[in-house]
Amino acid sequence: MAATGAPTRAAEARRAGALADLVAALRTLAFLDRRRVAAYALIVLAGYLPMMAKVFLEATGSAGSDFLAFWGAGRIVAAGTPALVYDIATEQAAQAASGTGQLVVFVNPPPYLFLVAPLGYLSYPAAWIAWALAGWAAWFAVARKVLPDAWPAILAFPAAYLAASHAQNGFVTGALLIGAVLALRRSPVLSGVLFGALVIKPHLALLVPFWLAAGRQWTAFAAAAASATLLCLLSLLVFSADTWAAYPESFKASATLMAQEPGPFFLRMCTLFAALRYHFDPTVALVGQGLLSLGTAAVACLFWKRAQDEMAAGAMLLAATALASPYLFSYDLAFLALPVFWLAGEARRTGWRPWEKSALVALWLAPLATRAVALPLEINLMPLAAAALVWMIWRRAKPVRAG
């Protein structure tokens, strides 16, 4: 028995030692230096190429894509009838030229037509490619300023892949949010103009007015109000009052989507509302999301007292936005590049804390990882990742105690 027991105890000791080594490695992730981060990011980028090719073939085949709504609206505007972008029969006729056999209703407000109008002069496949590549390039040009030497990891940010593969507007809104935060210190007017441009997707600016007021950023606040108003007036002049009068018709499509029975649609959303709605009734979902939105608004506003500068406060704003908005999809999350890489920059500057590097890697992967497991697990875990990001930013603003 002794002869048998000794090897067993030795094996158990080796396993325990290996586990301890693994925990120690994950605690610091010391091997993951800048050179390896860049190399791994480039490998991920290479992996996106066949994935994007597959998505493109599906988008231009019978599966279709969300991009149909933008391209179809562009065709209607190009035809000189912008007021009909919210008419379903006209949308269906315009999108039929794609050959996909699919219909995606256009629900964005009239100022968004300035972006999609040029698409109507391109074929559907050419417009899809141009939209995805131009969006990725524009977003990257802004986002890389957060941490310039980490550009491969920023370019390969999984939320960017999701924005590109859906050919959605996550790059546009992401560039506006990140650009507005980056501009706040040197040009509050420009910052406000960029924030105001989010009138094209206002639920992503839910916290912005409260955050600007809490930080006493009155110049940016006024510029944002003026920017949003001017964009609405310009769209009124260019696309006519009839287009604005027709816009409420799009609310019916949105209401129909939100009123449907729990299913894949809610699993593809990455909000607490959707997570609760999949398992509970609408009242529970609305109350839960309402409380979370109020809580994150308070955190974002109170953080101004802890933040060392506008960049830190902005990192909290964008992290909190991922929790506060009740209507959010994974392709919207390109704006999280700022809080994620702000944390990385702060850790480089002041030193990495235990588990922080591993947590940041997980958060970098979170938009794509949570989307991938949402359907199999029947829950989207992105709100938990966003909450962890908020907590890490809050904790980063607190000085580390000696010892």
Side-chain angles (χ1 to χ4, degrees):
M1 294 293 293
T4 303
T8 301
R9 287 193 295 272
E12 290 175 352
R14 285 195 297 272
R15 285 194 292 270
L19 179 60
D21 291 342
L22 176 61
V23 170
L26 292 174
R27 190 172 185 271
T28 63
L29 222 61
F31 79 94
L32 193 62
D33 55 19
R34 298 185 195 185
R35 181 177 59 83
R36 287 191 174 93
V37 166
Y40 296 151
L42 293 174
I43 292 171
V44 170
L45 276 171
Y48 288 160
L49 294 177
M51 293 163 66
M52 286 295 295
K54 179 177 182 293
V55 169
F56 172 74
L57 292 174
E58 292 174 347
T60 53
S62 59
S65 165
D66 289 355
F67 181 68
L68 280 167
F70 305 156
W71 180 74
R75 286 175 59 83
I76 295 170
V77 172
T81 55
L84 295 179
V85 297
Y86 302 112
D87 178 73
I88 292 181
T90 306
E91 289 183 79
Q92 189 165 27
Q95 294 177 31
S98 69
T100 63
Q102 302 296 323
L103 168 67
V104 181
V105 178
F106 182 75
V107 296
N108 296 84
Y112 195 76
L113 295 176
F114 287 117
L115 282 173
V116 302
L119 300 173
Y121 297 96
L122 300 173
S123 68
Y124 177 63
W128 196 99
I129 293 172
W131 180 262
L133 291 182
W136 207 329
W139 167 84
F140 175 65
V142 176
R144 70 182 301 270
K145 295 177 182 179
V146 178
L147 196 61
D149 65 352
W151 69 264
I154 294 173
L155 185 60
F157 189 38
Y161 163 76
L162 289 166
S165 62
H166 285 81
Q168 258 285 354
N169 47 33
F171 284 134
V172 178
T173 53
L176 289 173
L177 282 165
I178 294 172
V181 170
L182 292 174
L184 186 57
R185 174 182 288 182
R186 70 178 187 278
S187 178
V189 172
L190 175 59
S191 176
V193 167
L194 295 174
F195 275 133
L198 285 165
V199 70
I200 63 172
K201 203 163 185 178
H203 55 278
L204 290 183
L206 184 65
L207 301 183
V208 169
F210 306 103
W211 179 79
L212 288 174
R216 295 181 173 82
Q217 302 291 331
W218 302 118
T219 300
F221 190 102
S227 171
T229 302
L230 182 60
L231 276 174
C232 290
L233 290 175
L234 282 174
S235 67
L236 182 69
L237 291 173
V238 174
F239 303 119
S240 82
D242 289 341
T243 302
W244 271 97
Y247 173 49
E249 286 297 311
S250 68
F251 301 167
K252 297 176 182 178
S254 299
T256 299
L257 280 174
M258 298 304 289
Q260 65 184 293
E261 290 300 309
F265 173 76
F266 290 106
L267 292 175
R268 293 188 177 100
M269 292 178 68
C270 50
T271 67
L272 180 65
F273 169 83
L276 293 175
R277 180 66 189 90
Y278 187 80
H279 296 283
F280 303 99
D281 62 56
T283 301
V284 173
L286 285 170
V287 170
Q289 181 63 59
L291 291 174
L292 180 62
S293 297
L294 289 172
T296 50
V299 168
C301 292
L302 290 172
F303 189 75
W304 276 106
K305 296 182 179 180
R306 294 170 63 94
Q308 61 265 39
D309 54 30
E310 295 87 350
M311 186 76 162
M316 178 59 82
L317 167 69
L318 299 198
T321 295
L323 287 172
S325 178
Y327 191 86
L328 198 72
F329 288 86
S330 54
Y331 55 69
D332 290 316
L333 298 177
F335 64 82
L336 288 182
L338 188 146
V340 167
F341 286 94
W342 175 82
L343 275 170
E346 285 299 295
R348 285 184 186 178
R349 186 174 64 84
T350 61
W352 290 95
R353 298 175 179 179
W355 299 102
E356 192 172 32
K357 192 179 288 189
S358 293
L360 264 185
V361 171
L363 289 172
W364 185 82
L365 290 167
L368 185 55
T370 56
R371 174 68 180 81
V373 302
L375 292 173
L377 296 183
E378 295 191 38
I379 187 170
N380 196 310
L381 299 173
M382 191 59 212
L384 293 179
L389 184 58
V390 167
W391 177 77
M392 289 177 67
I393 294 171
W394 184 274
R395 183 171 174 263
R396 257 287 159 194
K398 185 178 181 180
V400 181
R401 293 182 180 179

